Amino acid sequence: MPDPIISIQGLDAHYGDFQALYGVDLAVEPGQVVAVIGANGAGKTTLMRSISGLLKNKADAIRWQGRPIGALRADQIAALGIALVPEGRLLFPSLSVEENLIIGGQLGRKGPWNLARIYQLFPILQERRNVPATALSGGQQQMVAIGRALMSNPELLMMDEISLGLAPVVIKSIYEALPDIVGEGLSAIVVEQDIAKALSVSSHVVCLQEGRVSLTGGSGELSRDEISKAYFGV
Ligand SMILES: Nc1ncnc2c1ncn2[C@@H]1O[C@H](COP(=O)(O)OP(=O)(O)OP(=O)(O)O)[C@@H](O)[C@H]1O
């Protein structure tokens, strides 16, 4: 087994007095897509925030290529090559599609992703490149959010509930881009409430329930019953 690109061990997270994550373990190998599933409030977004440096962690709870990074700031995490497509997209509303994408490239990391490559991946964005980003449909906005993250040439791409509120046909077209993205050598963590979608795009799945890992295993190896028990607790 190759060394993981990122490994999380015993991660706790708090909002004030409230503990949202309890001893979470997760590892991603180079080129692997890991799905994080769980019901509303299970702690999926908190896990993404912790990895991104938006929540404070113990330094050695998160290791990047073996190095403890849990205590780094969000800008330092981004500079390492860890990019988040946040829940709700958080595009810059007054900027055009192209300007939003360019901002993603500000870190200046070298790699395969640039405007031309993003437009190849999502051709509709080239057609609409001068339109304010928030004038786009939800699915197109999600493409901008993914493109903006890719423009930083990350080694790990984290996507938080990218299908939320989108029509099934749109979700399908967005996820169809994932093999091309991972084909460039990236690893990915995909947060999904849609269990079938999560299993179909990943090789490994981690289920959270009330802040704890309730199940983990190969995406093709877990039974429906195991997953629904881990997901719903029944
Ligand atoms: N800023 C905050 N302050 C206090 N508690 C919070 C905050 N953000 C989240 N929580 C709580 O932490 C727990 C985990 O929330 P989190 O958003 O990580 O769950 P989630 O699995 O991403 O759910 P969802 O699918 O609804 O986004 C929940 O109980 C939530 O109420």
Side-chain angles (χ1 to χ4, degrees):
M1 223 168 52
D3 285 341
I5 188 167
I6 190 163
S7 91
I8 296 167
Q9 275 186 322
L11 178 70
D12 295 336
H14 298 85
Y15 296 104
D17 290 341
F18 177 76
Q19 185 162 357
L21 294 180
Y22 296 83
V24 168
D25 296 343
L26 181 155
V28 184
E29 291 168 15
Q32 193 181 30
V33 179
V34 172
V36 176
I37 60 173
N40 277 334
K44 307 178 298 297
T45 296
T46 302
L47 177 58
M48 296 302 101
R49 284 193 199 130
S50 298
I51 299 172
S52 312
L54 297 167
L55 281 175
K56 285 267 158 289
N57 310 291
K58 279 196 283 188
D60 59 2
I62 306 177
R63 288 180 179 270
W64 177 251
Q65 297 165 354
R67 171 187 162 199
I69 61 158
L72 298 185
R73 295 187 312 266
D75 59 312
Q76 295 171 310
I77 296 286
L80 290 174
I82 300 176
L84 174 67
V85 181
E87 188 176 4
R89 304 165 203 135
L90 309 183
L91 300 179
F92 297 103
S94 60
L95 300 184
S96 69
V97 166
E98 188 151 300
E99 287 164 340
N100 268 279
L101 292 173
I102 288 169
I103 281 184
Q106 294 295 306
L107 281 172
R109 284 176 52 85
K110 297 266 175 294
W113 295 101
N114 51 36
L115 275 179
R117 192 66 188 74
I118 302 292
Y119 289 149
Q120 205 182 334
L121 187 70
F122 298 123
I124 186 69
L125 297 188
Q126 182 160 26
E127 273 173 46
R128 311 218 64 195
R129 66 185 183 278
N130 296 320
V131 172
T134 45
L136 268 54
S137 70
Q140 292 167 2
Q141 287 189 37
Q142 198 57 273
M143 292 171 191
V144 177
I146 295 168
R148 184 179 59 181
L150 288 174
M151 285 288 285
S152 71
N153 276 301
E155 287 182 61
L156 176 68
L157 179 69
M158 302 192 293
M159 302 197 280
D160 193 356
E161 302 211 25
I162 56 171
S163 46
L164 209 64
L166 302 180
V169 60
V170 178
I171 297 169
K172 185 165 173 279
S173 74
I174 290 179
Y175 271 112
E176 273 168 3
L178 197 57
D180 278 351
I181 294 171
V182 179
E184 292 286 3
L186 269 100
S187 309
I189 299 178
V190 174
V191 170
E192 258 304 331
Q193 283 202 34
D194 178 336
I195 300 175
K197 181 55 76 190
L199 294 176
S200 74
V201 301
S202 64
S203 61
H204 195 84
V205 65
V206 173
C207 185
L208 292 180
Q209 191 187 110
E210 295 180 1
R212 292 179 167 84
V213 175
S214 54
L215 182 70
T216 174
S219 304
E221 292 153 19
L222 301 171
S223 72
R224 256 164 189 260
D225 278 359
E226 280 176 302
I227 293 172
S228 91
K229 186 155 182 290
Y231 194 98
F232 299 108
V234 286

